């Protein structure tokens, strides 16, 4: 028998009333994309962990495996309240798909707006054995089509994760005296020692903590390139390839891969160096592409300086980024046309 409330769309992880403070935002008062990503992940972790423990069995914690493309639809500012809600939309045997929405609220006027929609995938890990993935209690679907659509999304993300992992051998090397607007000029890295406050009950880093650090590095890359106020516009799929354990030293690296007239694509990856308990070679733990836009003091979009590519690898990555940009643009236009026809 299914546990009460275990139906598709059950909003078990709703969370409300987080006021945005100055330390959540940049110098222009726009809330950091990483802050919002962290809130999204926390809501997803709550609902998926609750669901995976809703039936009698081994206790577990839901670990983030992947975040699908996330668009930042509208900026959130200091003083606004972030309302985060989550619902389970699909379960496979060993994973949970969670849909998270973020609404911003101006508490002076009562005005509300949707700022983010995100889809996340979690897997349940046993509290007794962190390498053991447990089975997920199934959910009920209102229509058979919901289950079929969810299964299709599951297969697509599974394939994409495999392809991403296979091309994750790149490293970022320092460049001596780089020219402005080149890849080497803006590339950045951040080194962080993973402590207890960064981790789950299992002693592994929260996905939201990792995403916040990634957004911070991507923001530095974007700011160095255009030297203006910048904000996160979207995040392509974030793949969590391996867990990061407490005591690891992680290196978060970012480099610009593509620029359009008004946006910048930045590749970010996280490498982990385990030093405590089980020394092993450095490994690639997480990877993603972030897109940023440049804004004026009035919050209007500004032209982005063209990225100057120098090596064959940089030119190849630029063309790959251009392909992703055009694909996303075509998809957005198709969605707008479809909405206009309805």
């Amino acid at each position: 028998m299914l546990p009460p409330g275990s139906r598709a769309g059950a909003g078990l992880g709703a969370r409300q009333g987080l006021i945005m403070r100055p330390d959540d935002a940049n110098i222009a008062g726009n809330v950091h994309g990483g802050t919002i990503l962290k809130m999204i992940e926390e809501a997803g972790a709550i609902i998926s962990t609750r669901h995976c423990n809703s039936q009698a069995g081994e206790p577990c914690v839901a670990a983030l495996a992947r975040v699908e493309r996330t668009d930042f639809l509208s900026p959130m500012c200091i003083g606004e309240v972030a309302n985060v809600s989550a619902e389970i939309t699909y379960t496979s045997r060993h994973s949970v798909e969670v849909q998270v929405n973020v609404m911003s609220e101006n508490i002076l006027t009562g005005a509300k707006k949707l700022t983010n929609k995100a889809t996340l995938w979690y897997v349940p890990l046993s509290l007794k054995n962190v390498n053991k993935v447990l089975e997920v209690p199934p959910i009920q679907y209102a229509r058979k089509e919901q289950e079929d659509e969810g299964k299709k999304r599951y297969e697509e993300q599974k394939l994409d994760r495999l392809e991403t992992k296979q091309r994750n051998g790149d490293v970022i090397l320092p460049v001596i005296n780089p020219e402005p607007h080149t890849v080497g000029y803006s590339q950045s890295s951040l080194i962080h020692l993973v402590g207890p406050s960064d981790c789950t009950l299992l002693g592994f880093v929260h996905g939201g903590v990792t995403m916040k650090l990634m957004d911070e590095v991507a923001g530095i890359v974007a700011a160095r390139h255009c030297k203006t106020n910048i904000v996160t516009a979207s995040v392509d799929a974030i793949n969590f390839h391996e867990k990061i354990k407490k005591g690891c030293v992680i290196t978060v690296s970012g480099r610009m891969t593509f620029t359009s007239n008004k946006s910048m694509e930045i590749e970010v990856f996280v490498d982990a160096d385990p030093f405590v308990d089980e020394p092993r070679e450095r490994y690639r733990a997480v990877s993603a592409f972030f897109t940023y836009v440049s804004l004026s003091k009035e919050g209007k979009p500004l032209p982005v300086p063209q990225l100057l590519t120098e090596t064959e690898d940089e030119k190849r990555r630029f063309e790959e980024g251009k392909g992703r940009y055009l694909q996303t643009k075509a998809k957005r236009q198709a969605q707008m046309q479809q909405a206009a026809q309805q």
Side-chain angles (χ1 to χ4, degrees):
M1 181 180 292
L2 294 175
S6 59
R7 66 188 185 280
L12 303 176
R15 177 181 164 206
Q16 296 183 339
L18 290 170
I19 191 163
M20 297 294 98
R21 304 184 183 280
D23 56 353
D24 296 318
N26 61 20
I27 56 175
N30 302 120
V31 175
H32 291 297
T35 299
I36 297 172
L37 289 171
K38 189 170 184 287
M39 290 190 295
I40 288 172
E41 196 279 326
E42 287 174 352
I46 290 170
I47 189 173
S48 52
T49 298
R50 278 179 178 168
H51 177 75
C52 292
N53 287 281
S54 60
Q55 291 183 340
E58 231 176 297
C60 63
V61 171
L64 183 62
R66 175 180 167 91
V67 181
E68 300 291 0
R69 179 183 172 84
T70 303
D71 290 308
F72 289 73
L73 307 173
S74 179
M76 192 181 299
C77 301
I78 294 171
E80 292 185 327
V81 173
N83 297 311
V84 186
S85 61
E87 62 181 24
I88 293 174
T89 47
Y90 178 76
T91 57
S92 69
R93 186 179 178 187
H94 295 295
S95 64
V96 182
E97 181 191 52
V98 180
Q99 178 76 46
V100 180
N101 290 337
V102 183
M103 299 283 296
S104 68
E105 177 187 359
N106 184 319
I107 54 178
L108 299 179
T109 65
K112 296 180 181 180
K113 59 187 176 183
L114 180 68
T115 62
N116 295 82
K117 293 177 69 175
T119 301
L120 305 90
W121 293 88
Y122 290 84
V123 294
L125 303 180
S126 168
L127 285 176
K128 298 177 182 178
N129 178 2
V130 296
N131 294 314
K132 182 180 180 182
V133 179
L134 302 179
E135 291 194 12
V136 175
I139 60 173
Q140 296 172 331
Y141 300 93
R143 297 176 292 106
K144 179 67 167 59
E145 291 80 9
Q146 284 183 313
E147 183 176 10
D148 293 339
E149 290 166 0
K151 187 174 182 180
K152 182 180 178 183
R153 293 192 300 271
Y154 168 75
E155 295 297 340
E156 288 174 349
Q157 65 85 28
K158 189 176 179 181
L159 180 62
D160 186 71
R161 286 189 70 211
L162 182 62
E163 291 176 349
T164 305
K165 192 171 184 178
Q166 289 174 344
R167 62 173 186 263
N168 253 346
D170 270 0
V171 294
I172 293 181
L173 300 174
V175 179
I176 308 300
N177 298 323
E179 293 293 323
H181 304 145
T182 60
V183 175
Y185 184 80
S186 59
Q187 68 182 31
S188 302
S189 294
L190 178 154
I191 298 175
H192 179 76
L193 174 63
V194 176
S197 62
D198 299 320
C199 297
T200 67
L201 293 173
L202 294 175
F204 293 99
V205 178
H206 284 288
V209 170
T210 307
M211 290 192 291
K212 192 168 188 233
L213 291 172
M214 294 173 76
D215 180 73
E216 185 176 331
V217 168
I220 293 171
V221 173
R224 278 180 169 171
H225 181 76
C226 59
K227 301 190 183 302
T228 60
N229 177 37
I230 47 88
V231 294
T232 314
S234 67
V235 184
D236 215 342
I238 303 177
N239 291 291
F240 292 77
H241 308 294
E242 291 197 47
K243 299 185 290 293
I244 303 172
K245 196 172 183 180
K246 180 174 64 179
C248 282
V249 172
I250 58 174
T251 303
V252 186
S253 305
R255 65 182 170 204
M256 194 158 296
T257 50
F258 170 74
T259 54
S260 67
N261 290 333
K262 293 186 179 178
S263 67
M264 301 162 275
E265 181 191 72
I266 296 135
E267 182 182 22
V268 183
F269 36 78
V270 181
D271 294 321
D273 284 303
F275 291 120
V276 179
D277 297 334
E278 47 176 328
R280 56 175 282 199
E281 300 235 345
R282 172 187 283 215
Y283 61 91
R284 179 65 42 83
V286 192
S287 59
F289 289 98
F290 287 69
T291 299
Y292 275 75
V293 293
S294 173
L295 299 179
S296 68
K297 293 180 180 179
E298 294 75 32
K300 303 295 183 182
L302 291 173
V304 171
Q306 179 74 10
L307 178 66
L308 304 178
T309 54
E310 299 175 301
T311 69
E312 289 303 315
D313 282 342
E314 290 174 359
K315 292 174 183 177
R316 172 182 55 80
R317 287 193 292 268
F318 186 93
E319 290 303 316
E320 291 173 350
K322 184 178 180 180
R324 286 186 291 270
Y325 168 78
L326 293 175
Q327 186 178 32
T328 300
K329 187 176 180 180
K331 186 177 179 181
R332 188 182 299 118
Q333 289 174 342
Q335 290 172 339
M336 291 173 64
Q337 289 176 355
Q338 187 178 15
Q341 292 171 358
Q342 291 177 349

